[in-house]
Amino acid sequence: MADLTRRTLLTAAVPLAAAPAVAAAPAFAPVVPGRRLVFPRDHGAHPEFRTEWWYITGWLEESGAPLGFQITFFRTRTGLGEDNPSRFAPRQVLFAHAALSDPRTGRLLHGQRIAREGFGLAGASTRDMDVVLDDWRLVRTPTGELKTQAAGEGFSLDLTLAPTQPLLLQGQEGFSRKGPRPGQASYYYSLPHLKVSGVLGREGRRRQVRGQAWLDREWSSTLLDPSAVGWDWTGVNLDDGGTLTAFRVRDAQGSPIWTGGSLRTAQGRTWSAPNGAVAFDPGRTWKSPRTGAVYPVAPTVRMQTPQGERRWTLTPLFDDQELDSRPSGGPVYWEGAVRVPGGSGYLELTGYAAPLRL
């Protein structure tokens, strides 16, 4: 009975009777320029905002073979039941995705979770990074290391991620525009070049793995312009110790609504790309046999820097890295390990199967 109750609470994230028939629209906190990010507080959750995520991507080596992995935790304020004193009211919902990219398998292995906050089963601390969702977790230790556990289709990950560089404030000291209106923005920082160690479980065996990863942290209440259907994003750990971040928000015709990103040198000098300085040339495409979506899986990123234009052509570890998160209320998107000359990272392509709505 205890296990049945536990599973019921995890799967029934938004019960039909949880919210009153008529409720006032919630007042989500705005993202405004000039707010100084404060740590460790801003590693933690921001429940007054509409949505946020803790997004880890990286490369592992298992017996000399390269693998990609993703572990992402999301929190969303639903706007439901905010005046309802019941513990069952779904005021905050957490969901998470985990995926393993193995060229030997030729497709993405993945898992997902969803639950309303509470009951000791799902929650996110507001004091520091500590997110739990059933048996999945991401926590920052007193020494600054990140520890995470997640599992999916035939695999499990138990990893430690150690920072090797200072955190990277994206945009204007952490204020990152995503559209033409000032409110279309997020608070955004990254932890690149994370040193990864831990255990990968597969087929009843547990193996030690090592690698390198990237953490993105964003929170917002109004992220996308109404005309946006999705975005392209890449985060790359360069072999010389530098980093590349690039994104574009697209409309239905594939034209950029807003672009941005950053370059940081191995010495720590950071340049933030203004709107219009980043372009994604589609390159080779791949069509999903399951959804019919066509993804530009090998784009060339162009960035106009003060020293002139720079280019990086992204090559996927393999093509079929599409993730279908609809069972947990999420979208279908492409999330894949990619290489560039002189680096490796991840590419995210959203809004190609259907317009993305946040």
Side-chain angles (χ1 to χ4, degrees):
M1 176 62 73
D3 186 66
L4 176 62
T5 301
R6 177 183 178 88
R7 293 298 165 187
T8 300
L9 292 173
L10 283 168
T11 56
V14 184
L16 294 177
V22 178
F28 298 113
V31 175
V32 295
R35 177 191 181 276
R36 179 173 173 267
L37 301 191
V38 178
F39 300 98
R41 161 67 188 89
D42 281 324
H43 291 310
H46 304 83
E48 67 276 20
F49 290 83
R50 185 173 185 176
T51 189
E52 70 183 311
W53 53 79
W54 297 256
Y55 170 59
I56 299 170
T57 56
W59 284 64
L60 301 173
E61 281 197 9
E62 179 196 19
S63 303
L67 304 170
F69 79 96
Q70 172 209 359
I71 301 176
T72 309
F73 290 84
F74 303 86
R75 179 208 55 79
T76 185
R77 181 180 167 193
T78 67
L80 302 174
E82 301 215 349
D83 297 327
N84 188 338
S86 170
R87 295 175 64 205
F88 288 88
R91 290 176 285 270
Q92 302 279 342
V93 170
L94 283 90
F95 55 103
H97 304 159
L100 189 71
S101 295
D102 185 349
R104 295 167 294 187
T105 303
R107 64 180 180 86
L108 207 64
L109 304 177
H110 63 92
Q112 44 201 308
R113 295 281 193 277
I114 184 171
R116 83 193 80 188
E117 185 177 40
F119 304 97
L121 304 176
S125 171
T126 58
R127 297 185 297 275
D128 203 338
M129 190 182 302
D130 190 354
V131 192
V132 62
L133 184 47
D134 194 16
D135 56 344
W136 294 19
R137 191 175 188 188
L138 171 64
V139 61
R140 198 179 77 94
T141 70
T143 60
E145 293 180 328
L146 313 182
K147 292 185 176 293
T148 187
Q149 298 88 37
E153 180 186 2
F155 73 92
S156 63
L157 292 165
D158 186 351
L159 303 176
T160 297
L161 303 93
T164 63
Q165 296 182 358
L167 62 82
L168 169 59
L169 296 177
Q170 301 283 5
Q172 301 170 3
E173 297 298 314
F175 173 79
S176 175
R177 288 280 295 271
K178 298 299 194 299
R181 301 175 187 175
Q184 295 165 350
S186 67
Y187 295 117
Y188 180 13
Y189 73 87
S190 305
L191 277 173
H193 286 284
L194 292 164
K195 182 180 179 181
V196 183
S197 60
V199 176
L200 167 66
R202 292 187 74 184
E203 301 173 345
R205 301 179 62 185
R206 291 169 60 84
R207 292 190 177 93
Q208 295 289 325
V209 289
R210 297 188 179 278
Q212 188 170 226
W214 179 298
L215 169 77
D216 259 11
R217 278 286 287 120
E218 290 194 69
W219 58 100
S220 178
S221 292
T222 308
L223 193 65
L224 295 180
D225 188 85
S227 63
V229 299
W231 63 71
D232 305 342
W233 168 93
T234 189
V236 177
N237 288 316
L238 299 173
D239 294 343
D240 65 0
T243 64
L244 164 67
T245 313
F247 69 84
R248 68 165 180 168
V249 179
R250 310 180 320 276
D251 64 15
Q253 289 71 47
S255 299
I257 296 171
W258 201 264
T259 68
S262 66
L263 272 178
R264 184 162 76 174
T265 68
Q267 294 73 37
R269 294 189 299 273
T270 302
W271 177 76
S272 293
N275 179 43
V278 170
F280 282 73
D281 297 335
R284 184 173 58 80
T285 61
W286 171 78
K287 183 176 181 179
S288 167
R290 294 173 296 276
T291 65
V294 177
Y295 299 97
V297 297
T300 294
V301 174
R302 293 186 289 113
M303 185 176 284
Q304 298 291 341
T305 76
Q307 289 76 39
E309 182 181 84
R310 295 192 60 182
R311 296 183 176 219
W312 299 264
T313 297
L314 281 57
T315 302
L317 185 59
F318 58 95
D319 287 357
D320 191 353
Q321 299 185 77
E322 182 185 54
L323 195 154
D324 185 348
S325 67
R326 286 175 293 186
S328 63
V332 177
Y333 60 104
W334 196 95
E335 186 80 45
V338 294
R339 292 187 177 95
V340 303
S344 60
Y346 252 69
L347 171 67
E348 183 178 61
L349 304 168
T350 72
Y352 288 92
L356 187 67
R357 295 289 176 257
L358 291 179

